[in-house]
Amino acid sequence: MANVNVLFFPKIGKITRDVTVVHFFLMFGYKLFSLFFPLFLITREMTFSQVGWTYLLIYLPIALFSPIVGFLNHKINPALLAFVGILGYATYGLGMLFVAPEQGGQMLYIFYFLQVLLGISASLFFASFKGILMGSYLKKPTGSFGWFYSAPFYASATAPVVGAFLIWQFGFSAVFIASTIIHAINSVLCLIWLYRPAEKLVDIGFTIGDFFQSIKSSLKIIFKKDVFPIISLSVIIIILTGFHGSFFVIFLKEVLFWEDNIVLIFVSFFSLVFTPLSLFIIKRLSRKKPQKILLEGSIMAGLFTALIGALTPFLNFLNLIFLDLGRTVGWLSVNSVRSGVICKKLRKYPEEGGFIDTIFQPLGVAIGSFSGGILIEIVGFSNVFILIGLFVCLATLIFWLVNQRLKTC
């Protein structure tokens, strides 16, 4: 049995395991309703551009608030800040129980405020957790972040099924209540498991001046020629992911005309298939060179996205599973490489590395969601998939040429 475990399951350290499990439960509570959230907005008579605007309000605050969290991680135990962030998710669930954005007026502003609150809560969680990981002196950071980024897919295997049952039986109120309860329990787990390991990152004497000096030193490293191209390419992939995450379910409903139960089965089956595949990817991430993984992952993400758009008239359940698996494997590879490289290069500045890495993800998603909503209304769903996919492939080619040039210098 031991040999089987070594063969099929990548090694996972205690900190990586605890961070991944808490991340899993955070995503489980969120994904009880997040899959259906775009449909929730459309049924509330929102346009595609308004859906994009809603996601912008969620993800932009994550990027803007992350530097503040980075500083606070020096002064306050990061696990405590993550605890507050998880409670923010619980507060969001409670707030959504009483909001009806379709009524407009004050109710719409409260709805928008809750999206910003969710973004700030996510910033507290992700910047703190990435800081904890980066401050743990990981032996194989790319593989550890592979675990971290796989957690949402593990949650997707079951959470949407549970969420769909609650929504269809009791309405959206039930799923928001369940989400709140899960987040409340998870916040306690976060403190129990991670408070003591994260305590070593606290430096009470750390000042604002020290913080700016650390940022200055960190940015010098980030803008080096062996780091910045990796980050730039990964942000382009994130823009693609932002569009996909915000509008893919609507694409299944509005373009492919799938029923709700087929959409649910697709998402759950996809995550079940991806779960064992992710274990193979994580082992691979720990063994291969980051630049090679980045190139392969970017090409996969761009090519398979473009194919989804180009083959729209011929898409069915099985071939769409295959195409979306290719896109997701590429996404996981690219994100893990970016975080792993930042972790390795900013080993002396884990708090700064945590918030810097956190900025890229939501900023890309915000841009992808907002611009995607506008582009859909101009050129249509399929053409947006094609344009973004080809743009990613072009960016990957430029990265490869730059990388080859650097090798010859």
Side-chain angles (χ1 to χ4, degrees):
M1 181 63 71
N3 291 334
V4 173
N5 287 336
V6 171
L7 180 62
F8 288 102
F9 289 89
K11 290 182 179 180
I12 181 170
K14 185 180 184 304
I15 294 294
T16 302
R17 182 198 65 197
D18 292 345
V19 165
T20 300
V21 171
V22 174
H23 188 200
F24 165 81
F25 282 117
L26 181 87
M27 289 293 98
F28 188 93
Y30 181 60
K31 286 181 177 291
L32 284 175
F33 63 86
S34 65
L35 169 66
F36 311 99
F37 192 59
L39 301 178
F40 171 80
L41 298 178
I42 291 296
T43 58
R44 265 52 180 186
E45 301 178 355
M46 286 189 165
T47 64
F48 291 134
S49 57
Q50 285 177 316
V51 172
W53 169 250
T54 299
Y55 277 94
L56 179 71
L57 288 177
I58 295 173
Y59 285 96
L60 190 58
I62 303 177
L64 296 178
F65 201 71
S66 289
I68 299 174
V69 179
F71 174 72
L72 292 176
N73 278 332
H74 285 282
K75 311 289 286 184
I76 303 171
N77 189 308
L80 184 59
L81 293 173
F83 164 81
V84 174
I86 298 171
L87 288 183
Y89 274 79
T91 304
Y92 175 84
L94 279 177
M96 290 297 292
L97 286 171
F98 307 103
V99 170
E102 69 274 15
Q103 293 182 5
Q106 186 177 3
M107 192 68 73
L108 182 62
Y109 286 115
I110 294 173
F111 170 79
Y112 286 147
F113 168 78
L114 287 173
Q115 311 318 306
V116 174
L117 173 65
L118 180 62
I120 294 173
S121 301
S123 179
L124 284 165
F125 176 84
F126 285 102
S128 298
F129 260 43
K130 287 182 178 181
I132 293 172
L133 274 177
M134 292 183 184
S136 299
Y137 299 102
L138 304 169
K139 292 182 179 179
K140 296 181 178 179
T142 301
S144 293
F145 276 100
W147 279 108
F148 182 79
Y149 287 120
S150 295
F153 296 101
Y154 304 153
S156 294
T158 51
V161 178
V162 177
F165 173 79
L166 292 173
I167 291 170
W168 293 339
Q169 290 295 315
F170 309 107
F172 266 94
S173 295
V175 81
F176 287 129
I177 291 172
S179 176
T180 300
I181 293 172
I182 290 170
H183 290 313
I185 296 172
N186 191 37
S187 65
V188 177
L189 293 178
C190 173
L191 282 184
I192 293 174
W193 289 345
L194 293 162
Y195 188 88
R196 184 167 293 178
E199 189 71 32
K200 63 184 179 183
L201 295 174
V202 178
D203 179 9
I204 298 298
F206 196 78
T207 66
I208 289 288
D210 296 329
F211 183 57
F212 282 115
Q213 184 59 46
S214 296
I215 293 176
K216 183 179 178 181
S217 300
S218 300
L219 291 178
K220 283 183 179 179
I221 297 172
I222 291 297
F223 281 100
K224 286 185 175 180
K225 62 183 180 181
D226 60 334
V227 180
F228 187 69
I230 293 175
I231 292 175
S232 300
L233 183 57
S234 72
V235 171
I236 292 173
I237 306 298
I238 296 169
I239 292 173
L240 180 157
T241 306
F243 165 73
H244 187 279
S246 302
F247 294 102
F248 187 64
V249 175
I250 299 176
F251 170 76
L252 299 180
K253 290 272 295 180
E254 300 287 330
V255 178
L256 301 186
F257 303 108
W258 287 9
E259 298 292 334
D260 288 345
N261 60 332
I262 302 299
V263 173
L264 176 64
I265 292 170
F266 176 89
V267 172
S268 299
F269 182 73
F270 173 87
S271 297
L272 287 171
V273 173
F274 184 77
T275 297
L277 180 61
S278 69
L279 300 178
F280 168 77
I281 298 299
I282 291 168
K283 293 194 76 168
R284 186 170 172 271
L285 289 172
S286 300
R287 294 173 178 173
K288 298 189 73 172
K289 291 183 177 180
Q291 285 84 354
K292 188 172 183 180
I293 295 172
L294 185 68
L295 283 170
E296 294 174 355
S298 300
I299 285 293
M300 289 184 69
L303 179 61
F304 282 100
T305 298
L307 286 174
I308 290 174
L311 299 177
T312 294
F314 311 102
L315 291 178
N316 56 41
F317 191 96
L318 290 178
N319 59 32
L320 187 54
I321 284 283
F322 172 76
L323 293 175
D324 209 32
L325 277 174
R327 182 202 64 82
T328 305
V329 167
W331 173 88
L332 174 61
S333 301
V334 170
N335 271 296
S336 300
V337 166
R338 185 198 69 247
S339 295
V341 167
I342 291 176
C343 179
K344 186 176 180 180
K345 297 294 183 178
L346 298 183
R347 191 173 292 272
K348 293 182 180 179
Y349 311 101
E351 294 89 350
E352 287 70 29
F355 88 74
I356 288 172
D357 189 51
T358 302
I359 287 174
F360 297 124
Q361 181 80 14
L363 191 60
V365 172
I367 294 171
S369 301
F370 185 68
S371 59
I374 296 173
L375 285 173
I376 289 171
E377 296 179 349
I378 298 173
V379 301
F381 264 109
S382 298
N383 289 328
V384 176
F385 276 110
I386 295 171
L387 289 172
I388 294 180
L390 292 178
F391 179 63
V392 168
C393 290
L394 177 61
T396 306
L397 176 61
I398 294 172
F399 172 84
W400 180 81
L401 292 173
V402 170
N403 201 43
Q404 292 298 111
R405 185 185 180 95
L406 290 175
K407 286 181 179 179
T408 59
C409 292

